[in-house]
Amino acid sequence: MLFRRRPYTRTERPDMPVDEPPSAGSARARLELQAIRALLDAQRRRVTRYAERYGPPAPATVPRAPQALATPPPSGQEVLDALPVAALLLTPVFGEDGEVRDVVLLARNATARADEASRFPGEALPPWTGPVSLFERVPSLAATAIPRMLAEARRLGVPQQSDTVEWLVNTRTGPVRVSAEVRVAPCGDHFLLTWEPGGRLSMAAAAQQLVRTCWAEWNLADDGIQPSRGFRQVLGLAESAPVPSLSGLAAATAPECLTTLYQALYDVLLRKRVTQCELRLRGSERVFRMVAEPVRIVPGGLVWALRAVLTDVTTDRRRREAAQRAERAARREHERADAVAEIADVLRDAVLPHFQDELDGYGLEAAAVYRPDAPGAGVGGDWYKARGLPDGRLLLALGDARGHGLEAVTLMAKLRYALAGLAYTSQPVERLTQWLNEVACADARESTATAIIARYHPERSMLRWTCAGHPRPVLLREGHAAQLPAPAGGPGLTLGVLPGTTYNATETKLETGDIVLMYSDGLTERRPADPDQDTLRFLGAAESCFRESAPGPGHAGLQDYVERLVARLDGPHCTDDATLLALRRP
């Protein structure tokens, strides 16, 4: 509801239980309706008593008929000129079939002459020389409703009304369209045709339909109603249906709206205020906003009528409700995103290691940078791992699980921890990659991932690695960057695509100062995707950052380098999370 006013006391409204919460129950609705009728009946009695007390006294005697007038009655032309609307005095010529054959224009009143002069100035029309055929003066009138109205007025002997009659008048400057509301009334042996230019009533009804607004004034003494022309249409009533009284409007109002209707009537009738409320009629989904004001007999006196404007606000209400639903859904989605981001942040710290000097015992330095696809997104499908093995060697891996959010995180964690367990078997990396592929294929959902799986042999300074659909590592040696050759047979299939897939491994000998860069495609991929261009972009950025400032010694120097490289490649065009893992033989 638009307004919630203070609760009515039992003195103001003794027939309503004020301590009971509103409901749409039938018993509650009957009490509401009874209260509205009691309020209207009480005001009717006040108005009636006022009229009886202050009304004019009845005349004591009946006045006698006036004596014969000393002056003659006015002429026909004088009577015509006294009419406030444009008028023509006509004599139709009827045929044997009762149809109008011609119409003779006998006279015009002053308003008609003024209207003609304003519409057709100068010599637009032939000058008036006396009685003339109406159809000769304005031929297009013969095709309008006027001949039929003349015939009906003659046959029935009662005036005929037409909402809108339109005709064209050919002038010396071009055709002029005329639209008017026309009335034809018998006048002795002649007919009087009157019109009001502009079709004001029709335009008012059309305007009401256009903005879905109507109005009415209810007389509280006798239930008399003065509605606007489009009142029934706006409220969805049949043309033959009576316009409802205030009591009838209350009876037609949906139960849940009766409380606000009572409050609005109370404010208008007793508090003498302008107020408004929203109503819905029984059996209809349309909602109306009613703005009502008191109409008083004298300023500050008794309210004898209620005037109200009703506007169909159904569309606005639906839009507002849709906007509120969308806002609630957006708020829930935002809360869900916040929760996912919080979980992802925790997972990031749990599954993405932070290197310091942990790999010094294996003759390697390591640094890594992870960038989510959006601020606050936490973790996507990228993952990396570096773990010492019992045989003195080092497990190194970097992968990219399909998808985003918790689904990708779940697959990423599953593959990462599966690889950690499988690595303790001391099997070669090609065998580990094959087993990891089986883990991905066995997942119930569509689970795919790319990966580089490697084992570093410190005693030989050798990196042995496999590729499962992932960008191949890059070797940065003395400032020159080059992508490492693929294993025999080329890169293997992406993990999770086909069970039973075998993978080949290749070996890379590291020299002192060599840096191996392993990265996910989110760091380089652009739309539209071009893998060759993406690789060249990465190689160029790696060399450029090296030339600008060669990586300093220790973990801190390597970390500074990879952060500068990611910053060089990062930007608003990146649409996926990105990871860069750097390994250096000091």
Side-chain angles (χ1 to χ4, degrees):
M1 303 304 175
L2 287 181
F3 291 91
R4 290 192 61 85
R5 303 191 180 276
R6 66 173 179 81
Y8 294 96
T9 66
R10 295 187 185 274
T11 304
E12 292 173 334
R13 193 177 178 190
D15 53 343
M16 281 301 300
V18 297
D19 54 349
E20 177 184 332
S23 69
S26 59
R28 175 85 179 186
R30 284 196 297 270
L31 288 175
E32 295 278 1
L33 197 54
Q34 290 171 10
I36 292 175
R37 288 171 176 166
L39 179 66
L40 295 174
D41 290 342
Q43 190 68 9
R44 182 180 295 109
R45 290 192 295 270
R46 296 187 190 96
V47 173
T48 302
R49 286 197 301 269
Y50 183 94
E52 292 172 349
R53 182 176 181 181
Y54 297 103
T61 57
V62 178
R64 293 177 298 172
Q67 300 296 323
L69 297 175
T71 57
S75 66
Q77 185 63 52
E78 290 173 328
V79 172
L80 278 179
D81 290 340
L83 293 176
V85 295
L88 305 178
L89 187 62
L90 307 176
T91 296
V93 178
F94 295 97
E96 295 181 358
D97 55 359
E99 298 293 331
V100 176
R101 298 302 181 191
D102 197 4
V103 178
V104 178
L105 172 59
L106 299 176
R108 306 171 296 167
N109 71 348
T111 305
R113 294 194 296 271
D115 181 62
E116 181 177 300
S118 64
R119 287 173 177 265
F120 315 109
E123 299 180 354
L125 290 177
W128 171 260
T129 58
V132 65
S133 169
L134 181 65
F135 295 156
E136 289 182 4
R137 188 171 178 83
V138 186
S140 62
L141 285 175
T144 66
I146 291 177
R148 177 186 57 78
M149 295 171 66
L150 289 166
E152 289 296 305
R154 180 197 185 199
R155 184 175 66 86
L156 301 175
V158 295
Q160 301 296 307
Q161 180 80 34
S162 176
D163 286 346
T164 303
V165 176
E166 294 187 352
W167 64 90
L168 290 176
V169 178
N170 292 316
T171 69
R172 293 183 177 90
T173 58
V176 176
R177 172 180 169 271
V178 180
S179 177
E181 295 167 0
V182 177
R183 187 173 186 269
V184 174
C187 184
D189 293 334
H190 306 297
F191 293 87
L192 193 65
L193 186 149
T194 60
W195 74 89
E196 293 188 52
R200 296 185 182 92
L201 295 178
S202 297
M203 287 192 289
Q208 291 180 68
Q209 287 294 311
L210 185 63
V211 298
R212 307 297 299 165
T213 298
C214 62
W215 54 89
E217 184 174 295
W218 286 272
N219 191 317
L220 298 171
D222 60 357
D223 279 338
I225 308 169
Q226 297 181 23
S228 63
R229 194 172 190 182
F231 190 88
R232 293 181 179 85
Q233 291 84 352
V234 173
L235 291 187
L237 304 176
E239 286 292 337
S240 58
V243 177
S245 64
L246 285 175
S247 180
L249 182 64
T253 298
E256 68 270 14
C257 300
L258 288 173
T259 297
T260 54
L261 178 59
Y262 178 90
Q263 293 174 350
L265 294 175
Y266 189 97
D267 285 341
V268 172
L269 303 183
L270 300 184
R271 294 176 175 172
K272 303 174 184 178
R273 299 174 178 173
V274 176
T275 189
Q276 59 180 322
C277 65
E278 285 193 1
L279 303 177
R280 185 178 64 82
L281 302 184
R282 292 176 183 266
S284 173
E285 296 299 323
R286 294 160 72 179
V287 180
F288 299 91
R289 178 181 294 116
M290 184 175 80
V291 182
E293 67 173 356
V295 180
R296 306 177 187 182
I297 297 177
V298 294
L302 190 67
V303 177
W304 64 272
L306 181 145
R307 184 183 299 127
V309 175
L310 290 94
T311 303
D312 188 337
V313 295
T314 307
T315 301
D316 293 340
R317 167 70 73 83
R318 289 173 178 169
R319 288 174 179 169
R320 186 166 64 247
E321 291 174 349
Q324 291 171 350
R325 288 194 300 270
E327 182 181 359
R328 289 193 296 268
R331 186 165 54 250
R332 289 193 300 267
E333 187 62 27
H334 183 72
E335 292 171 353
R336 177 183 176 277
D338 286 344
V340 169
E342 183 178 354
I343 295 171
D345 284 337
V346 175
L347 285 173
R348 176 176 58 192
D349 292 336
V351 303
L352 298 182
H354 300 277
F355 300 111
Q356 291 295 333
D357 302 321
E358 295 88 343
L359 306 186
D360 288 353
Y362 298 90
L364 286 182
E365 294 173 344
V369 172
Y370 173 79
R371 180 192 58 77
D373 58 353
V379 171
D382 284 8
W383 58 277
Y384 58 89
K385 190 168 187 65
R387 168 174 294 215
L389 299 175
D391 58 5
R393 291 163 185 172
L394 184 65
L395 173 68
L396 298 166
L398 187 142
D400 183 2
R402 174 184 175 273
H404 296 273
L406 289 179
E407 181 180 352
V409 171
T410 302
L411 176 60
M412 173 265 287
K414 180 184 299 185
L415 296 177
R416 186 177 182 276
Y417 289 114
L419 177 62
L422 294 172
Y424 276 83
T425 63
S426 299
Q427 292 292 318
V429 290
E430 54 267 42
R431 187 63 172 165
L432 298 182
T433 309
Q434 183 179 355
W435 285 342
L436 203 59
N437 177 64
E438 300 301 324
V439 172
C441 290
D443 196 88
R445 296 162 298 179
E446 183 181 351
S447 301
T448 59
T450 63
I452 297 291
I453 310 297
R455 182 182 280 116
Y456 181 66
H457 300 255
E459 72 281 3
R460 293 187 291 161
S461 300
M462 187 264 290
L463 188 70
R464 196 167 190 273
W465 56 277
T466 62
C467 177
H470 198 85
R472 302 197 307 275
V474 168
L475 177 63
L476 185 63
R477 178 173 289 171
E478 296 180 354
H480 175 70
Q483 195 172 31
L484 294 179
L493 282 178
T494 298
L495 301 176
V497 174
L498 184 65
T501 301
T502 58
Y503 295 86
N504 295 323
T506 188
E507 296 178 355
T508 301
K509 181 74 172 179
L510 298 186
E511 299 179 2
T512 301
D514 282 354
I515 298 176
V516 176
L517 301 173
M518 300 165 61
Y519 63 95
S520 63
D521 58 6
L523 190 61
T524 58
E525 190 176 59
R526 304 293 183 266
R527 297 290 185 269
D530 185 338
D532 293 336
Q533 289 297 322
D534 295 340
T535 301
L536 291 176
R537 185 181 303 109
F538 183 85
L539 296 176
E543 292 180 354
S544 177
C545 289
F546 189 92
R547 287 194 301 270
E548 291 172 2
S549 178
H555 167 78
L558 186 60
Q559 186 68 37
D560 174 72
Y561 172 76
V562 295
E563 289 179 356
R564 287 190 290 112
L565 178 54
V566 170
R568 178 71 58 88
L569 293 167
D570 198 7
H573 45 263
C574 295
T575 59
D576 195 4
D577 53 340
T579 302
L580 175 61
L581 174 63
L583 306 169
R584 177 170 63 178
R585 182 186 172 194

